[in-house]
Amino acid sequence: MTQVSSQRYLCLLLGLFVLPYAKCIWPEPAASHHGNSTVWLSPQLKVSYQDDCSDSPQNWDWPYRQLQKLLSNEPPLRFECGPLDENSSNILDIAVQRTLSQIVKTTYTPWKFHPRGAYFEPDPSSTSRQWITRITFTKTDDVQLRSLSEEGYILDLADIEGECMIRYTAIVGALRALSTFSQLFYLHSNANSGIYTSQAPLHIVDDARFPHRGLNLDIARNWIPPVAVKQTIEGMFLAKLNKLHLHASDSQSWPLEISSLPELAQKGAYHPFQVWTVADLEDVQRYGQEHGIEVYLEVDMPGHTTSIGHAFPELITAADERPWDKYALEPPAGQLKLNSSAVTRFLETLLADTLPRTLPFGSLFHFGGDELNLNAYALDDTVNSSSRAVLKPLLQAFFDHVLAIAEEHKVTPILWEEMILDWDLFLPKSTIIQTWRSTSALSKVLAKGHRALFGSNSHWYLDCGHGTFLDPEPSKGNETSVQPPYEDYCSPYKSWRHVYSYDPLKGIPNEDRHLILGGEVHLWGELTDSISLHGMLWPRAAAAGEVMWSGPRGKVDEETTRRLADLRERLVGIGIAAMPVAMEWCLRSVGGCTL
């Protein structure tokens, strides 16, 4: 019998009465209804693509033995279809292959969500199994899809032997549907019994609340290799995050190879092995594209640029000047000179190299603009002043030139909030402003008519609460500011529940909300490297993901915990070392850990 109910009710109901465990999807779909019948993935599963503009659907057989071949790194199967362009077709085949192989590979049985000894799985000896024999993708302008964005989709799963139908208007919508599809299934614990879901029939109509749902990842302060970022993209796909903002350079290191300026990475990276080559970046951006994720760069300027000085010392003022806290918010000090023709030529060369290479993978590029230190410019031989009145017109000219280059290359620029709120620069309305200090900052940016991103450090700074990276200066004795308990500036730790409770729309006038593109959750890298990366990110980044996909959620409840814990198990299943969401006893004992 089909039940129409919220996923929240379903999760708790199943836990209380130990019914077959049905999937509680993360992030929560916009609308869904489902039953409690069990269907199994057929060993002779077929995949087909249908375009409403074409009369020729293409069938693609996918028995499990072919999955095993895929996992053995044999060349992937292809299917071509109708008027779909070759790049989109390739993205869809890769995504289908990846999703089906992960469903098999993760071998996820949800025993953690049931009391000890409970039998929650369907009977594997049943002779009346219902099979999913076909997945049909239909690109359509169906009236039900016309009100949805390009990321919207409709997914229907039959409860009798038949098919799963996925309808969408753009390839990215099909990718979001595949993310949902991958969360529906479990491996039966009986060897070779198969893969099943117990919530058929299922109907989902889903779409994103915000078009920009990002993760800002610092790859400059500590070494984060491309392979770790690709694994991050896999986690983002499950959480329906769609923008990966790589903070690719900072004062501490320049890990990014620039072909026209080879000395930058040769001298500015921590080590010759700690460099993202041109090929590395392209590979990661293409991998993101295959997952429906735009990977874009931030090259911060004019602050946070000391590492440029290892190759081009004449471009930097106050380079590693001491005491560093007079000239920077963190060591080492140093900023691009503000009135230097050499800096202008350098930036022209840098951007002429970088922008055309990244543009095929998306239009966004972040030019920084945060945390500018005035004292550093008193040491700048092209400025010789720390006065705002002197610096503001120079800063305006600096960004006028940079943004003109962005416009020439048809790049959509992003800047941090300081350039418009602290410096009151005139910026083209095409410039997206990224806020980070507070909801009030977001409100002020919107009032100026700019499109904006949210992500307050009060809720979405995932690096906070791990303590300072600084040591006490011995000569200062008890006067040092580095004192027990050695907290960082943004303590306390932002738990996943705190991340989830963030409401970026609170206090924002309705008439300004259309300018909010979305947001980003942030992981700065002072105390994160590739070893700790995924524990720092997950599942907290996924909590932010639901806020951005489904809209602000308000308070956490037990259903939320169980849904996120289920996603965490799937992340672990694909090799991502996500932190636990809850104690296992709590997951096995519905209502046992509420207070």
Side-chain angles (χ1 to χ4, degrees), residues 420-421 424 429 433 435 439-453 507-516:
I420 193 169
L421 296 184
D424 196 27
K429 286 296 189 286
I433 304 301
T435 65
T439 299
S440 64
L442 176 63
S443 184
K444 291 173 184 175
V445 168
L446 298 174
K448 289 177 176 283
H450 276 275
R451 295 177 298 163
L453 302 175
I508 303 296
N510 288 334
E511 60 269 22
D512 290 339
R513 292 184 178 186
H514 68 284
L515 294 170
I516 301 175

Side-chain angles (χ1 to χ4, degrees), residues 288-300:
Q289 187 179 64
E290 291 170 358
H291 288 75
I293 294 167
E294 178 179 357
V295 180
Y296 72 95
L297 295 181
E298 178 187 356
V299 176
D300 208 346

Side-chain angles (χ1 to χ4, degrees), residues 258 260-269 308 310-312:
I258 307 296
S260 59
L261 298 165
E263 306 98 317
L264 269 177
Q266 289 170 1
K267 297 180 179 180
I308 294 172
H310 293 287
F312 303 101

Side-chain angles (χ1 to χ4, degrees), residues 16-17 21 195 200 213 220 235 253 303 364 433 497 506 525 559 571 587 590:
L16 286 169
F17 296 103
Y21 185 78
I195 295 167
R213 305 179 307 283
S253 84
L364 298 177
I433 304 301
R497 290 179 175 85
K506 186 176 181 181
E559 174 271 328
L571 290 168
L587 298 177
V590 173

